[in-house]
Amino acid sequence: MGNSQSMDKVQHVVKEGINIYKKVKAEQEQQQHNGSNNNNHYNQDSNDYNHHSGGGSSYHPSADNDDDEEYAQLRAQAHEEAQKRNDCYARSQEAYKNGDGAEAKELSNQGHHHDNLMKQYNQRAADHIFSVKNQGRPLNEIDLHGLYVKEASAKVEEAVRRCQANGERDLVIIVGKGLHSPNQIAKLKPAIIELVKKYEVTCQPNIPNPGCLYIEFGKGTGDLSWLDRFTERMSNNDQCLIM
């Protein structure tokens, strides 16, 4: 009975790693098919096993933030951990296919370890660059340069709650260049829609400057028909956007 439970646990751990590996691999192949491996931004997956390599062999920091050594180093470390994670999961899958359950479990656990380190480095990078970019800004204005959509969404929600608690009537969000990559733009639209519905706020583009999002509190959800045009202009790297 004990051996059976132990084997079930091994299979569960290994299969979890294999599923993550397959998902990452499929997305990398899709990115290559779409030509997105020419994009130098570090892509972020929509689930908890995110921040995998965009198909390149090395990490290239955004031009917005490449002068910030700490930020660039943290993103590069996250990228390195993602590669180690992917390698462990791939080797775990091979070991499992070859019938070596113990080796497969060990490699899968190593993959989880690298996955956790990757997330920690990315979170530190996000917190650092957000602090740098927003130092001295007014309460109702935030700059999202250097963040990915999932990171940016968390910062925006914090800002919305803070503004509402302090009786602010609006919030200006400066959309960073790091959000302009195809993989990020695809996630930006649903993130904005979710924000508007969750907090019942209006959201308008290019106020007070091009490339900004303007949030107003206490006026309902408003019209979002502009979203398609806004994200399309971002994907085309329209020069009117704040960089």
Side-chain angles (χ1 to χ4, degrees):
M1 182 69 177
N3 289 337
S4 176
Q5 290 178 338
S6 178
M7 181 57 67
D8 288 344
K9 186 175 181 180
V10 169
Q11 290 178 341
H12 173 75
V13 172
V14 172
K15 286 182 178 179
E16 183 181 5
I18 290 174
N19 288 336
I20 296 169
Y21 169 75
K22 286 181 177 179
K23 183 175 180 63
V24 170
K25 192 71 174 175
E27 290 184 350
Q28 288 176 333
E29 290 173 354
Q30 182 63 41
Q31 288 166 358
Q32 290 173 347
H33 176 72
N34 293 335
S36 63
N37 55 326
N38 292 324
N39 169 24
N40 286 336
H41 291 290
Y42 194 68
N43 294 319
Q44 181 179 33
D45 191 6
S46 59
N47 64 20
D48 289 338
Y49 300 101
N50 47 26
H51 302 294
H52 56 79
S53 167
S57 60
S58 61
Y59 169 72
H60 303 277
S62 165
D64 281 333
N65 309 295
D66 58 5
D67 58 342
D68 191 300
E69 186 175 344
E70 181 175 348
Y71 171 84
Q73 183 178 6
L74 287 167
R75 289 298 195 197
Q77 287 174 305
H79 177 80
E80 183 178 345
E81 292 299 331
Q83 290 183 317
K84 291 178 180 178
R85 175 201 65 180
N86 295 349
D87 179 64
C88 285
Y89 287 157
R91 290 162 57 201
S92 174
Q93 184 178 28
E94 286 302 312
Y96 185 72
K97 288 180 179 178
N98 293 332
D100 192 342
E103 178 69 6
K105 179 183 178 182
E106 174 61 26
L107 287 167
S108 186
N109 285 334
Q110 289 180 25
H112 293 332
H113 173 68
H114 290 301
D115 188 63
N116 287 330
L117 288 176
M118 173 197 65
K119 292 174 183 176
Q120 291 173 25
Y121 283 129
N122 273 315
Q123 187 61 57
R124 287 172 57 190
D127 290 341
H128 169 74
I129 201 64
F130 185 80
S131 176
V132 170
K133 296 294 184 182
N134 289 277
Q135 186 174 5
R137 289 190 181 276
L139 183 68
N140 65 333
E141 180 180 293
I142 58 172
D143 186 333
L144 302 180
H145 281 83
L147 302 184
Y148 307 117
V149 169
K150 190 171 184 179
E151 297 167 348
S153 295
K155 297 298 185 184
V156 169
E157 288 207 30
E158 290 175 8
V160 167
R161 290 193 294 267
R162 184 174 64 247
C163 285
Q164 289 180 328
N166 284 275
E168 299 287 339
R169 68 180 185 86
D170 56 18
L171 171 66
V172 175
I173 303 171
I174 302 172
V175 180
K177 188 175 181 180
L179 299 177
H180 292 187
S181 69
N183 192 46
Q184 298 300 300
I185 292 170
K187 298 181 178 72
L188 181 61
K189 181 178 176 180
I192 292 174
I193 293 174
E194 181 180 356
L195 171 74
V196 167
K197 289 182 177 180
K198 182 175 181 178
Y199 292 97
E200 296 185 345
V201 297
T202 62
C203 182
Q204 301 177 66
N206 303 319
I207 300 175
N209 298 306
C212 291
L213 295 175
Y214 181 66
I215 303 291
E216 282 189 286
F217 305 112
K219 293 189 176 182
T221 56
D223 177 34
L224 290 175
S225 60
W226 53 268
L227 254 177
D228 287 331
R229 297 190 302 274
F230 186 78
T231 52
E232 181 180 356
R233 293 176 75 182
M234 289 183 70
S235 65
N236 292 332
N237 287 321
D238 194 305
Q239 292 302 310
C240 75
L241 292 173
I242 291 179
M243 302 300 184

